[in-house]
Amino acid sequence: MHNRMIGGGALRLATAIKGAKMAELTITNLRKSFGTFEALKDISIAVEDGEFICLLGGSGCGKTTLLRLIAGLETHNSGDILLGGQDLTQIPCHKRNIGMVFQSLALFPHLNVGDNIAYGMRLRGTPAKEADTEVARLLDMVGLTGLGKRAASALSGGQRQRVAIARALALQPQIFLMDEPFSALDAALRDQMQEEVKRIQRNLGVTTVFVTHDQREAMALADRIVVMNGGMIEQAGAPDVLYSRPATRFVATFIGINNILERDGQRPIAVRPEAITLDTKGDGLTGQILRQRRLGALLEREIKVGGQTLHQSEIAGNGPSFEDGATVTLSWSDDKAWALPA
Amino acid sequence: MIGPRTYGPRLIGGLAFGVLAVFFVIPLIFMIVVSFYQPDPMGFYKVDFVWENYGKFFSSFYYTVSFRSLYSAALGAVLVVALAFPLVLFVSDLSRRMQLFWIILLLSLMCLSEVIIGFAWLILMSESAGLPRLLEWVGLWKNPRSLSPSFGAMMIGLVFLGFSIVSLILYPSVSRRDRNIEEAAVTLGTPPALVFYKILIPTFRTSLVSVTLTMFVYLLGVFVMPTMLGRPKDWTMTVIISDKALGDANLPLGAALAVVMLIVTVLVLIVSALLTRRRAT
């Protein structure tokens, strides 16, 4: 099933063909201002049941505000948020059935691990026995078997992440929200947590909205990435669609490294570094190699073409080698050149 | 190796220790010694060793008064913290400018002397000028009487005295708290009105207990408020002690009462510390 690659429109078509499930979370014309600052300008997006969505963008792009509006931690100015057909904007945060993991994790410092996870269940009057069994099951799920009696402060960063995830999922939320939960972890641990979150999400099939500024993280996790900029959605689509067919110049340069080539009287094109091959002869653009660096398997080059510095990369040893300063001809196949809006 | 050994900090520490020894420990020892002397109406005391002064403590009047001071100090401390903690929470959520306004207000309250505050309340609660007159004017009180001296008036004085201190002690940790913890509680189904009881009080329990104990000890030693705003039967041990020691020139009895008070205070502190530690684990 890879027809999701085709993008938003095709995705809706695919779901229509499947015919079974409605969009679980539907946001229409959502606006939010803080004073004179417009944090969200007319956001509309539909998230499918069980889908994993990443809101991706730089700081101040509105991604966290959007998440907090879904959670009910902020009030919107106008627009609609529907979850499972229910108008969420009329329901206060504590009555929405959501699970949220915060950037700071926000574990309750006065409760131990088990009590943190059981908090919501206790509040709802779940019998103690039942809650205990559920806590044990959740601890198993996040790989913290037997640590229920520990103080939250006695755990490592990664373990605390897991507690926060287990706590958010304890009430079997309709929607799972995560606000840059892994930004404080080191790279290796972050990779590991990403894999685990993905596994848990797949097993539970819970609709998930994950906020991140890290495009690698978004690529690794998301069924669909929503790229945001200045309070608006630039593009929403599967990771490989965003990578190979960016809808805007912003997306083209925000996701990965890209070369934008302006053309007289025509739309500019975007060519990825790995799509470019170099030669000493032939026709096409010529340039001079400024720098080359070998990063393990990858060889990266910067090439000066006219007034512009272009990036080229290849698996080391797959192409001819050049000296620094050498003049080279750049070429790519037409299907790798993506025309951007002017 | 952290670095070359310096003697500066040790010297300062040693000096502080010396000052403490001279001005606290020595008078304390002197007080304990005097508490066993014979009172002498003509000249403060006669050197002796008698238990008589301690015996007097257990005669009902002093006994009652000592428990009354424990009671008023404890009640005052609890009231101060119960009022100051919500206020600090409220202030910490205001804009920076408004927070600064409140901090300066609290700091300036702290600059006022106990005597001035006492007088201010005395006037406010007096029959001729204060709150009673206002209530009469509004029509809520037919025949207004002065509200002081009374236990309530003394309590108001004590709370007022401790309020800014407690607020300023709590402010730094409250304003730096992780607000996401409260939000997390709401996302897990806590009604916003219950976040204070279910999350904020338990989170700050340790600081609340320690600041209450600090206030308790502080209010035990307050002298001016009880004499100005309290009736003689509301007088705290501090007032009785100075009354005995200076008014009746009975230094040995004053010393004995002070020693008893010290022991009781230390016991109360130890018990509360043990209780909180047990609950923390």
Side-chain angles (χ1 to χ4, degrees), chain A residues 50-84:
Chain A
E51 199 179 4
F52 197 128
I53 288 277
C54 274
L55 303 179
L56 174 66
S59 64
C61 73
K63 56 191 191 301
T64 296
T65 305
L66 180 53
L67 194 78
R68 291 174 60 84
L69 279 169
I70 299 170
L73 295 168
E74 305 280 356
T75 44
H76 71 313
N77 294 115
S78 64
D80 283 315
I81 306 172
L82 295 174
L83 183 62

Side-chain angles (χ1 to χ4, degrees), chain B residues 131-144:
Chain B
L131 216 57
R133 257 296 145 85
L134 186 74
L135 290 174
E136 186 193 25
W137 186 68
V138 177
L140 286 171
W141 201 354
K142 275 259 164 64
N143 297 306

Side-chain angles (χ1 to χ4, degrees), chain B residues 68 72-73 125 147-160 225-231 234-236:
Chain B
R68 204 163 240 282
S72 21
M125 289 190 279
L147 290 169
S148 77
S150 67
F151 183 72
M154 184 182 82
M155 264 307 143
I156 289 177
L158 294 185
V159 168
F160 198 89
M225 287 299 170
T227 44
M228 283 178 98
L229 298 172
R231 296 161 300 180
D234 302 318
W235 283 0
T236 54

Side-chain angles (χ1 to χ4, degrees), chain A residues 73 93-96 98 100 102 105-111 116 119-121 123-124 167 171, chain B residues 178-200 202-203:
Chain A
L73 295 168
C93 175
H94 69 281
K95 287 186 178 154
R96 299 183 187 188
I98 51 162
M100 181 150 175
F102 292 82
L105 302 183
L107 297 180
F108 302 132
H110 60 291
L111 298 178
N116 257 286
Y119 178 87
M121 288 185 268
L123 205 65
R124 289 181 190 199
R167 184 180 69 175
L171 296 171
Chain B
D178 179 3
R179 267 102 170 152
N180 283 348
I181 291 175
E182 292 144 68
E183 292 179 341
V186 177
T187 65
L188 290 168
T190 321
L194 288 184
V195 169
F196 178 73
Y197 303 99
K198 300 218 67 126
I199 301 299
L200 288 169
T203 310

Side-chain angles (χ1 to χ4, degrees), chain A residues 120-131:
Chain A
M121 288 185 268
R122 297 244 164 87
L123 205 65
R124 289 181 190 199
T126 309
K129 263 248 168 81
E130 212 174 294

Side-chain angles (χ1 to χ4, degrees), chain A residues 48-334:
Chain A
E48 219 187 323
D49 189 32
E51 199 179 4
F52 197 128
I53 288 277
C54 274
L55 303 179
L56 174 66
S59 64
C61 73
K63 56 191 191 301
T64 296
T65 305
L66 180 53
L67 194 78
R68 291 174 60 84
L69 279 169
I70 299 170
L73 295 168
E74 305 280 356
T75 44
H76 71 313
N77 294 115
S78 64
D80 283 315
I81 306 172
L82 295 174
L83 183 62
Q86 207 177 13
D87 184 0
L88 219 49
T89 57
Q90 299 306 309
I91 305 171
C93 175
H94 69 281
K95 287 186 178 154
R96 299 183 187 188
N97 188 12
I98 51 162
M100 181 150 175
V101 176
F102 292 82
Q103 188 168 11
S104 70
L105 302 183
L107 297 180
F108 302 132
H110 60 291
L111 298 178
N112 66 24
V113 169
D115 290 341
N116 257 286
I117 297 173
Y119 178 87
M121 288 185 268
R122 297 244 164 87
L123 205 65
R124 289 181 190 199
T126 309
K129 263 248 168 81
E130 212 174 294
D132 288 348
T133 330
E134 190 58 15
V135 166
R137 190 187 67 78
L138 287 157
L139 284 170
D140 280 347
M141 180 184 81
V142 295
L144 292 177
T145 312
L147 295 186
K149 294 281 177 234
R150 290 271 184 92
S153 55
L155 300 183
S156 71
Q159 287 174 320
R160 291 161 53 79
Q161 294 283 346
R162 291 158 200 259
V163 178
I165 292 167
R167 184 180 69 175
L169 293 172
L171 296 171
Q172 289 160 0
Q174 253 180 306
I175 188 159
F176 185 30
L177 309 172
M178 303 180 88
D179 185 9
E180 307 212 23
F182 307 143
S183 55
L185 300 182
D186 62 61
L189 196 53
R190 190 158 54 220
D191 283 357
Q192 195 192 337
M193 287 309 299
Q194 285 166 6
E195 252 171 66
E196 294 223 10
V197 160
K198 191 73 189 158
R199 174 183 59 83
I200 291 168
Q201 193 268 344
R202 274 216 195 96
N203 289 345
L204 298 178
V206 59
T207 311
T208 302
V209 182
F210 188 107
V211 163
T212 181
H213 65 269
D214 177 358
Q215 41 149 323
R216 271 176 50 95
E217 187 163 76
M219 291 268 185
L221 286 171
D223 295 326
R224 203 147 53 102
I225 297 176
V226 178
V227 181
M228 294 181 66
N229 181 34
M232 291 188 289
I233 294 177
E234 291 275 338
Q235 188 178 7
D240 47 356
V241 173
L242 292 189
Y243 190 78
S244 55
R245 297 162 198 196
T248 65
R249 191 180 279 253
F250 178 84
V251 176
T253 48
F254 189 77
I255 307 267
I257 299 171
N258 222 336
N259 301 301
I260 311 284
L261 299 163
E262 307 291 344
R263 297 179 300 177
D264 288 332
Q266 279 177 295
R267 287 159 66 187
I269 54 166
V271 185
R272 291 287 176 185
E274 67 274 15
I276 300 175
T277 49
L278 300 180
D279 210 334
T280 44
K281 52 188 184 301
D283 45 305
L285 286 177
T286 52
Q288 204 179 16
I289 295 179
L290 287 178
R291 250 187 296 281
Q292 313 188 71
R293 57 177 187 167
R294 171 100 186 246
L295 298 169
L298 208 64
L299 180 63
E300 290 186 351
R301 296 193 180 95
E302 285 174 28
I303 302 154
K304 194 172 163 64
V305 178
Q308 211 179 350
T309 303
L310 301 184
H311 298 266
Q312 186 265 344
S313 65
E314 62 194 32
I315 301 294
N318 275 13
S321 45
F322 304 95
E323 296 289 315
D324 278 1
T327 304
V328 288
T329 310
L330 294 78
S331 60
W332 53 83
S333 65
D334 282 343

Side-chain angles (χ1 to χ4, degrees), chain B:
Chain B
M1 270 299 279
I2 296 166
R5 187 174 284 186
T6 53
Y7 289 96
R10 289 170 190 221
L11 204 70
I12 294 168
L15 203 70
F17 181 78
V19 169
L20 197 71
V22 173
F23 292 103
F24 175 71
V25 178
I26 291 175
L28 182 69
I29 292 168
F30 180 67
M31 186 178 80
I32 294 169
V33 170
V34 168
S35 71
F36 291 103
Y37 287 175
Q38 280 265 23
D40 176 2
M42 300 309 291
F44 266 9
Y45 52 74
K46 270 204 307 253
V47 177
D48 200 347
F49 186 86
V50 291
W51 288 95
E52 187 188 318
N53 303 312
Y54 287 94
K56 275 188 188 148
F57 170 78
F58 292 101
S59 70
S60 69
F61 175 68
Y62 297 111
Y63 195 64
T64 324
V65 164
S66 73
F67 277 96
R68 204 163 240 282
S69 1
L70 290 181
Y71 171 70
S72 21
L75 182 65
V78 169
L79 281 178
V80 171
V81 176
L83 289 170
F85 183 51
L87 176 98
V88 172
L89 281 169
F90 168 74
V91 168
S92 70
D93 285 338
L94 297 174
S95 68
R96 286 226 150 248
R97 188 179 286 255
M98 285 308 286
Q99 289 192 39
L100 196 66
F101 166 78
W102 277 93
I103 297 299
I104 292 171
L105 187 77
L106 289 169
L107 276 171
S108 49
L109 277 183
M110 233 160 68
C111 295
L112 298 177
S113 88
E114 207 184 329
V115 179
I116 292 177
I117 296 173
F119 262 118
W121 278 108
L122 211 57
I123 293 167
L124 271 176
M125 289 190 279
S126 71
E127 194 180 316
S128 54
L131 216 57
R133 257 296 145 85
L134 186 74
L135 290 174
E136 186 193 25
W137 186 68
V138 177
L140 286 171
W141 201 354
K142 275 259 164 64
N143 297 306
R145 287 178 303 101
S146 176
L147 290 169
S148 77
S150 67
F151 183 72
M154 184 182 82
M155 264 307 143
I156 289 177
L158 294 185
V159 168
F160 198 89
L161 208 57
F163 192 79
S164 45
I165 304 174
V166 169
S167 304
L168 292 170
I169 291 176
L170 288 174
Y171 177 74
S173 57
V174 169
S175 67
R176 278 200 306 262
R177 76 190 190 274
D178 179 3
R179 267 102 170 152
N180 283 348
I181 291 175
E182 292 144 68
E183 292 179 341
V186 177
T187 65
L188 290 168
T190 321
L194 288 184
V195 169
F196 178 73
Y197 303 99
K198 300 218 67 126
I199 301 299
L200 288 169
I201 290 181
T203 310
F204 283 97
R205 205 195 65 216
T206 319
S207 7
L208 291 177
V209 168
S210 75
V211 78
T212 307
L213 290 179
T214 311
M215 242 325 100
F216 170 71
V217 174
Y218 173 76
L219 292 180
L220 265 182
V222 165
F223 178 78
V224 179
M225 287 299 170
T227 44
M228 283 178 98
L229 298 172
R231 296 161 300 180
K233 68 173 186 179
D234 302 318
W235 283 0
T236 54
M237 202 59 162
T238 325
V239 182
I240 304 289
I241 290 169
S242 57
D243 192 45
K244 287 293 140 201
L246 304 173
D248 297 356
N250 191 344
L251 205 57
L253 178 59
L257 295 178
V259 170
V260 172
M261 214 52 208
L262 187 70
I263 291 169
V264 172
T265 309
V266 169
L267 281 178
V268 168
L269 289 181
I270 289 173
V271 169
S272 349
L274 285 179
L275 281 178
T276 47
R277 187 187 297 173
R278 193 165 306 153
R279 281 182 59 193
T281 49

